[in-house]
Amino acid sequence: FGHFFLQPRPGGDLTWVKAEHRSPHGLIRSEWKKGDDGVYLAEFTVPAGCRATIELPDGRREEVGEGAHRYSWR
């Protein structure tokens, strides 16, 4: 769990997801929802001492460190 991937994949009638996992390093959280305007808002939490690769449906991909990270896409 020192490095993990967060890759939201909305589709079908799905308009939101919220998931958490208690890793040995702390809480990993992934949450997103589709707004009425069609814009998706996401927030991810990476525990201390970890790194995550975030890959969004719009093609953006980046590696981030610990903390909360917010994104939006259409």
Side-chain angles (χ1 to χ4, degrees), residues 15-17 31-35 39-42:
T15 59
W16 66 274
V17 167
E31 179 178 354
W32 61 261
K33 73 181 218 175
K34 182 179 183 180
V39 174
Y40 290 87
L41 301 174

Side-chain angles (χ1 to χ4, degrees), residues 30-73:
S30 175
E31 179 178 354
W32 61 261
K33 73 181 218 175
K34 182 179 183 180
D36 293 337
D37 58 0
V39 174
Y40 290 87
L41 301 174
E43 184 170 330
F44 307 109
T45 302
V46 178
C50 294
R51 299 203 56 79
T53 298
I54 296 175
E55 187 174 304
L56 300 174
D58 66 3
R60 281 183 287 166
R61 180 183 170 126
E62 67 179 17
E63 189 171 311
V64 298
E66 63 188 62
H69 305 277
R70 292 188 175 112
Y71 297 89
S72 64
W73 70 90

Side-chain angles (χ1 to χ4, degrees), residues 12-31:
D13 294 335
L14 205 57
T15 59
W16 66 274
V17 167
K18 182 176 184 178
E20 296 180 344
H21 174 73
R22 294 207 179 275
S23 79
H25 297 284
L27 185 67
I28 297 170
R29 190 169 66 85
S30 175
E31 179 178 354

